[in-house]
Amino acid sequence: MRIFGKVRHRPSASWRQATDRAFTLIGDGRYEDAGALLTRAADLEPWLSESWFNLALLHKFRHDWEQARAAGLRAVALLDKETGAPDWWNVGIAATALQDWPLARRAWQAYGLKVPGAASGTGEPAGMELGSAAVRLSPEGEAEVVWGRRLDPARIEVLSIPLPSSGRRWGEVVLHDGVPNGERTTSAGPSYPVFDEIELWAPSPVPTWVVLLEAATEADRDALEQLAADAGFAAEDWSSSVRLLCRACSESTMPSAEGEGEHLDPHDHSEPGHPGPLGHRSPGELWVPERECGIAAPAGLVRGLLDGWVADSPDSREWRDLEEVC
């Protein structure tokens, strides 16, 4: 293999030792020490794309997007193949974080993705039609997997109503990593990747509320969710939509629903029969009228939404204990 007319040798033992040690330090969260070692490795082997790829990766972990973009561009300049290299994906993430849309378009195209519009377009990529996916919010903390719509290869708009512990809201856009860390399957057959959030890209002005409902039937509950959707916002029955999973299962292939009959997921640590975030299952699958519901709506609308829901069927619906939680 030749670069600039010279034979490129395999990396030296010193390069490998510095790089291996650096990634051990990264695993321990010691980014500063790892950065010194990866910088030394790049000084030892500056013609290796891997030297700059590793530095770009470190800067991504640190959310230092200017440095990630600079190192990523040096990495792709030394690539041996034209398309499909993960180096380009990291450049795309950094460019998206910086809203450097011409570079983001170039990165996705160089990776091998089709980006609608002119190659020289200055606006953010639109219409890539990447479909739905799940994103793990706060992956290093009290992680929560929610559903969203992929805007492009590095951003997801959150369409679930996250629990307040995540610090995230419905409608926010999060920057996410490129490699899926888990999968969710559906009874209809399709599977969806789970990406890890990197950081909040665009906040949502819509607050999250929690309210206790008395809904005599599932249809009553569904009516509130539809009413919120018709108003352009969202309601979600946390009593049925939330499962508490161990980390190993969350990061593996899991069904998005529990399944049929008496099957109990052994990795689901919820408490059956109790309203609230951990009570999605009731004994014998009987409907429990008391539901804990999350609502994403402005302060001036939420009470009117709930009152309108009750007014449509006052004998089977009631609400209480409304609280803004995020």
Side-chain angles (χ1 to χ4, degrees):
M1 185 185 306
R2 294 177 179 274
I3 290 183
F4 306 127
K6 297 181 180 180
V7 175
R8 190 182 77 171
H9 300 288
R10 291 182 177 181
S12 65
S14 297
W15 183 94
R16 291 195 298 271
Q17 290 169 0
T19 300
D20 290 345
R21 176 58 180 159
F23 277 95
T24 298
L25 293 173
I26 288 173
D28 294 335
R30 296 172 58 185
Y31 292 148
E32 292 295 330
D33 294 336
L37 286 171
L38 289 178
T39 299
R40 178 170 177 266
D43 289 340
L44 289 170
E45 309 280 5
W47 54 84
L48 279 181
S49 63
E50 290 90 341
S51 295
W52 304 104
F53 173 84
N54 293 337
L55 270 173
L57 201 62
L58 171 68
H59 294 313
K60 181 184 74 172
F61 295 151
R62 298 174 64 188
H63 303 182
D64 186 342
W65 300 116
E66 294 282 358
Q67 292 293 335
R69 177 173 60 182
L73 286 172
R74 294 195 68 167
V76 298
L78 297 169
L79 286 176
D80 303 320
K81 57 181 180 178
E82 295 183 0
T83 61
D87 308 68
W88 278 113
W89 197 283
N90 280 339
V91 169
I93 292 175
T96 301
L98 295 167
Q99 300 186 43
D100 182 348
W101 301 124
L103 180 58
R105 286 174 171 273
R106 178 185 165 204
W108 305 135
Q109 289 168 339
Y111 187 78
L113 301 176
K114 184 178 180 180
V115 182
S120 58
T122 57
E124 61 186 90
M128 295 187 73
E129 298 182 357
L130 298 175
S132 300
V135 60
R136 183 175 290 103
L137 305 175
S138 304
E140 300 304 321
E142 194 170 335
E144 178 184 358
V145 175
V146 298
W147 290 97
R149 177 173 66 95
R150 299 188 71 188
L151 303 179
D152 58 35
R155 293 180 299 157
I156 289 180
E157 179 187 11
V158 176
L159 299 181
S160 298
I161 302 178
L163 297 174
S165 57
S166 73
R168 295 285 176 259
R169 289 176 167 182
W170 170 87
E172 290 187 326
V173 177
V174 298
L175 192 73
H176 67 80
D177 219 339
V179 179
N181 188 15
E183 188 177 54
R184 295 295 180 269
T185 61
T186 64
S187 58
S191 61
Y192 299 89
V194 179
F195 296 101
D196 283 344
E197 174 194 16
I198 298 176
E199 66 181 17
L200 178 64
W201 191 87
S204 169
V206 181
T208 303
W209 307 81
V210 62
V211 64
L212 284 179
L213 305 178
E214 286 290 336
T217 67
E218 290 185 65
D220 288 308
R221 184 273 316 276
D222 295 345
L224 177 60
E225 293 183 347
Q226 187 61 54
L227 199 63
D230 291 343
F233 298 100
E236 182 177 328
D237 180 6
W238 283 341
S239 295
S240 62
S241 68
V242 176
R243 285 190 296 169
L244 184 64
L245 299 175
C246 63
R247 186 182 185 95
C249 289
S250 178
E251 295 178 355
S252 65
T253 299
M254 292 292 296
S256 60
E258 300 176 29
E260 303 290 337
E262 295 302 314
H263 171 70
L264 283 170
D265 181 353
H267 305 285
D268 183 347
H269 304 291
S270 307
E271 296 181 9
H274 295 275
L278 307 183
H280 59 282
R281 172 181 285 274
S282 60
E285 296 299 311
L286 297 176
W287 178 256
V288 177
E290 187 176 64
R291 321 295 297 176
E292 186 170 61
C293 182
I295 299 179
L301 176 66
V302 64
R303 286 175 176 81
L305 196 68
L306 288 163
D307 288 341
W309 172 71
V310 171
D312 287 340
S313 182
D315 293 335
S316 62
R317 302 172 186 175
E318 186 180 343
W319 68 269
R320 69 180 190 277
D321 299 338
L322 178 68
E323 180 185 0
E324 183 178 346
V325 290
C326 185

